[in-house]
Structures are given as C-alpha cells and as structure tokens.
Amino acid sequence: MKVSDILRVKGNTLFTVSPDLPLAEAVRTMAENDIGSVVVMEHGDLVGMLTFREVIQAIVKNGGQVGSTVIRSVIITALCIVIGYPIAFFLARCIKTVKFQIALFIVVIGAAAITRLPIAQYPTVAPPSIVITTAYPGASAQVLEDSVLSVIEQELNGAPGLIYMESSADANGSGSITVTFEPGTDVSIAQIEVQNRLSRATPRLPSAVTQQGVRIDKARSNFLLFVMMTSKNPAYDPVALGDYAARNIQPELLRIPGVGQAQLFGTERSMRIWVDPAKLVGYGLSTADVNAAIAAQNLQVSARSIGALPADKGQTIYATINVNGQLHTVEDFGKIIVRANTDGSTVRLKDVARIEVGGQAYTSSSRLNGVTASGIGIQQSPGGNALATAEAIKQRMAELQKYMPEGVSYDIPYDSSKFVKISIEEVVKTLIEAIALVFIVMLVFLQNIRYTLIPTIVVPVALTGTFSVMLALGFSINVLTLFGMVLAIGILVDDAIVVVENVERIMAEEGLSPHDATIKAMGQITGAIIGITVVLVSVFLPMAFFSGSVGNIYRQFSLSMAVSILFSAFLALTLTPALC
C-alpha cells in the first residue's frame, strides 16, 4: 500500500507501518522507536489500545504480515496524535452515531407524515368522477334532457380520460350528469377539463338555466354526515329554517377543509307567484306576458349620476342617483303592470295572481324524530381526512350554535366517521397486540432481554418510515394499509433476529468482543438478509400493478407491506449492528 495506514509518533518523528510489512521489520520498527502501544482503528471505529506484545501476536497470527487487524485510519490516528485520545474516541464513534441519527430521522419524518395523511375506512375504489348539477325551473324531465343535458353531453364527449357519463333528469326541473374518468386521473385536472367544455355549451343553454347557474363538483357520492336543524320557535317554520340554513350555516360548512359539497335538504325563501289561469283568460293574457312583465320591471338599474365630469362652467352639484331596482316585497310585485290599455286602465300582477313569500321548492321535506327539520348533507372532498373533517364540522357547528335564533337547534343523526374511527382504533389495537406478542415470543426463545429489545426497536422505526412513503405515494391511513402493517410485524423482526442470533453465536463460540463479533457476523449474513428481502418484496409487489378497482384495493395493502419490509432490511444492516 502506498498510503499510510498506521501512524506512530516519538517526539516529533512520524512513523508509518503498512499492512504488508514483514514480521521482522515490524518488530524492529517498534523496538527501535520504543513504541509500547498503538491505537487501533477498524473500519473507522475505535477498537482500543494494543500493547507491543498484542501487536506481535496479531502479526504472527496473520501469517507474518501486519494485516487488517491493525489497520488504522490516517485521519483519526493523526487526531489521536495531535489533539489527544478523547476527541479521537468521540470522532471514531461518529459512524455509529450516524446510524442512530438515521433511525431517528426516519421516526421523525414518519411521525410528521402521520399528521398529514388522510384517514379513511377503505381506499378510494371507485374511479374519479365529476358531477354537473343544473336546474330548469318549470321544465319536465324530457324537456330538461333534450334542451340541457344532451347539449352538455355532446361537448363532454372526447374529454381526456373519460370512461362514461351518466345523466338523470327529474320532473321538478333539476338534473345532473356524472362524468367518470379512468382510475389514476387527477380529479382537479378533470374538473378543469369539464369546466372548459361546459363553457362551450353554455351559449346554447336556455337563459333560465344559465340564470340559475350550472354547478361542477368533485365531491364523493356518499355522505360523510348530516346536520339537521329543528326549531321550537313558531316564527321559524320549515321554509324559514331552510332559508336560515342556506344563508348562515351552509356557507360556513363549505369553508371547512375536506368538505367537497354541502347539499341543502330543505328550501330557501322565494317570491311565489301563483297565476290564476281563469283570470288570465278573462284578461286575454298568457303566462308569457306575465313572465315578460316581471323580467322587464324587476331589474337592477344603474342610474349613473348628476353633475359628473365633464361639467359646464359653474357646475357645483354632483350627486349619485339611486333608484328602486329589484323588487323586495309582496306589494311591490303586486304593482307590476302586466298590460296597459289605451284607455288608461292597467292590469297588474295582483289582478291575475296570488303573491306570497314561500319556499323556492316544495318537492322534498325533512323530518327528525317526527319533527319537521331542514338538513345539510356533507360530502367529503377526494383525498380529504374523514375524521378531521367530521371533527372540524362538529366544532364549527358548536360555535354557530351561540348565534342561532332562540328555539333553533341542531343535531347530527348520521355520522359515518364514527365507523371509520372504530375501524381504525380496532386495527391499531391489533397492531399493538401483535407487537406485544412478538416481543413475548422472542423473549421466550432468545432468553435475553437485551437481544429481545433490539429487534423490537426495529418495528416502530420501520412502521413510522412506512407512513412517510405512504404520504409521498398519496395513500391514506385505512383498514387495508394498517392490516398490511399488522401482517408485516412478524416479518419485520426476522432480519434483526438473524443478526442478533448470529452475533451471540460468534461471541459464545469464538470468545470475540461484541464489536468484533458484530463485524464478523455481518460479513456472513449481509447477503442472506438482502436475498430474503428481495424475495419477500417480490411476493407482495406484483399486487400493486393490478388494474381497475381490484388494483385500488390491493395497491396500498401490498406497497405498505413491501415498504415496511425494505425498511426492516435497511435497519437490520445499520441500526441492529450498532445496538449489538
């Protein structure tokens, strides 16, 4: 070797000894320079101090050569010479410390990932879908299908990743189109694509439809929970209760992270005009005349201002003109002129119709324990955390309760997050029980508390590391991923047990120190650990490549097991030897 491996100092003289140095020359060098002991470094780790006799014995045992037993690190030994043994000892332990730091880093990153992972009962099995909701007041289901839904469907054809569309039209004039995309499609990108194609169809839709608005949502089809509002106050009938929920409760819930859609099961207040057909016929009018009169006289008018620039010289007055625009009361609507005759007489809206403030729709009603109520159904957004979203909704409703009118209260009769919470808690309980059983079994067979604790420490480190990878892959904490971890616990400790058992065997048979026994043991079983890890990963990994709904079910299960097994092998090659 050209590079010095062993450094010696006597006074100000620096001596070097090479691994291929013959026995006679090594003895002569140490004797001439009065070297009584040397610092021994192996693979960057401090072994200890060797006396002159021990060095000679090691050289003789190694066939007359210095050999690897007394190989020293140039930098560490130089530091021993310059700044002393304690600092060199500290730096020599850096490599072993790094192994602990890596394990700690895995735990910290995994713990942080747990707080950000969405929690659900099962993985998302259904392909992503976008729901388009529209309304055509007064139209039949057939008219809605022909004039609205079919027009939108024509523009949606050919969208990237589109699998199929499903539309439904109700007799009350409301309809929806569910657009389903291929699994793996980014639902946000799909929503943008649907929005762009809908904008091309909007000019061909009836004005009544565009006035009502067309909604595009990416919420899931199932409901997370229902918030039901009831009233003991006579002033708040079902219509007033629904109007209060729509104006004060629904917007607040929609702002909560994880809420995709808040559907109102009730009705808002609306100005209802009940036309009398007999009176229309008597006056020679039609419903089209009534609609035209309301549209013409119920407008928001911008009247501009008086005295605005440019103004005449001496103009000193400037005023903004405010005029009554849209109508608000029953009396205002009743005064709408439907027809003005040549003789000066007029036919007003109140002459041909009954006008009142009522519900916007009467097609549905809600009840809670037999009492009329107004409900809001919460649908979770894709990728949302079911438990966190439900808890945030409950906290927000508790805050809003303080500002509700007297006699108005709320209840949550249906909450699917309870089933999710119970399922996750049971699986977590099983996970803890499995770790405890594995610990007991290892203690019974290894008969050593130290060698039992070492493989046990690997389990939480590997599992927390798995959570960080799950976050990077976009997975969720669900029953299947946790079930995969439960099954993997018995596999996680295998590699660590092999390392510990082999180190103990070498120490018992050859009488080596824990350090030397660990180095020798790892040289014997490193290949075996890597081999068995590759075999186990090869068993579970193919399930991740299944397509369709089956793939969505097994992908998170298989990858969580494969990743935890890889982490256990990595820790068996790094953390476990350091603990030995």
Side-chain angles (χ1 to χ4, degrees), residues 99-317:
K99 298 175 183 178
F100 292 104
Q101 291 174 344
I102 292 175
L104 181 61
F105 176 77
I106 293 173
V107 173
V108 171
I109 295 299
I114 292 175
T115 62
R116 300 184 58 187
L117 278 169
I119 300 176
Q121 188 171 10
Y122 298 105
T124 302
V125 178
S129 59
I130 304 295
V131 180
I132 303 173
T133 307
T134 183
Y136 193 176
S140 64
Q142 187 62 45
V143 172
L144 180 64
E145 172 66 27
D146 296 338
S147 59
V148 179
L149 300 182
S150 61
V151 175
I152 298 176
E153 288 175 351
Q154 290 175 5
E155 293 296 339
L156 292 177
N157 284 321
L162 176 64
I163 301 177
Y164 60 88
M165 291 179 290
E166 180 183 0
S167 62
S168 63
D170 298 332
N172 60 359
S174 62
S176 64
I177 301 176
T178 303
V179 187
T180 304
F181 291 85
E182 294 178 353
T185 303
D186 190 334
V187 67
S188 298
I189 300 300
Q191 186 180 24
I192 295 174
E193 182 66 26
V194 171
Q195 180 67 56
N196 293 337
R197 291 178 177 269
L198 179 62
S199 62
R200 296 188 300 201
T202 301
R204 292 188 287 158
L205 299 179
S207 59
V209 176
T210 56
Q211 185 179 3
Q212 294 286 326
V214 181
R215 294 183 55 179
I216 301 176
D217 299 294
K218 55 181 180 180
R220 296 180 178 178
S221 57
N222 56 324
F223 287 96
L224 176 64
L225 57 80
F226 279 92
V227 177
M228 302 298 295
M229 299 188 62
T230 57
S231 173
K232 297 179 181 179
N233 190 342
Y236 282 87
D237 57 2
V239 174
L241 199 59
D243 187 74
Y244 179 84
R247 297 177 185 275
N248 300 282
I249 306 300
Q250 190 177 21
E252 295 291 334
L253 298 182
L254 284 170
R255 284 194 285 266
I256 295 176
V259 175
Q261 187 176 358
Q263 183 177 348
L264 178 65
F265 288 86
T267 180
E268 299 181 56
R269 278 199 179 105
S270 178
M271 189 64 68
R272 303 292 300 188
I273 300 174
W274 307 98
V275 179
D276 189 336
K279 292 182 178 180
L280 283 180
V281 173
Y283 285 107
L285 298 172
S286 65
T287 55
D289 297 327
V290 175
N291 289 335
I294 295 173
Q297 299 174 48
N298 185 32
L299 294 175
Q300 188 67 45
V301 180
S302 175
R304 304 301 177 88
S305 60
I306 297 175
L309 295 176
D312 294 337
K313 186 176 181 180
Q315 175 71 37
T316 60
I317 298 176

Side-chain angles (χ1 to χ4, degrees), residues 301-358:
V301 180
S302 175
R304 304 301 177 88
S305 60
I306 297 175
L309 295 176
D312 294 337
K313 186 176 181 180
Q315 175 71 37
T316 60
I317 298 176
Y318 173 81
T320 300
I321 301 175
N322 295 324
V323 299
N324 293 329
Q326 290 185 330
L327 308 178
H328 300 286
T329 64
V330 173
E331 291 75 15
D332 292 339
F333 276 90
K335 295 176 183 180
I336 291 177
I337 299 175
V338 180
R339 187 177 66 186
N341 299 318
T342 55
D343 59 359
S345 62
T346 58
V347 179
R348 298 183 182 274
L349 186 59
K350 62 182 179 180
D351 299 328
V352 296
R354 176 170 56 90
I355 307 169
E356 66 178 7
V357 177

Side-chain angles (χ1 to χ4, degrees), residues 64-83:
Q65 304 295 323
V66 173
S68 61
T69 305
V70 290
I71 295 293
R72 278 81 170 172
S73 167
V74 176
I75 298 176
I76 301 297
T77 310
L79 287 172
C80 287
I81 298 167
V82 178
I83 59 178

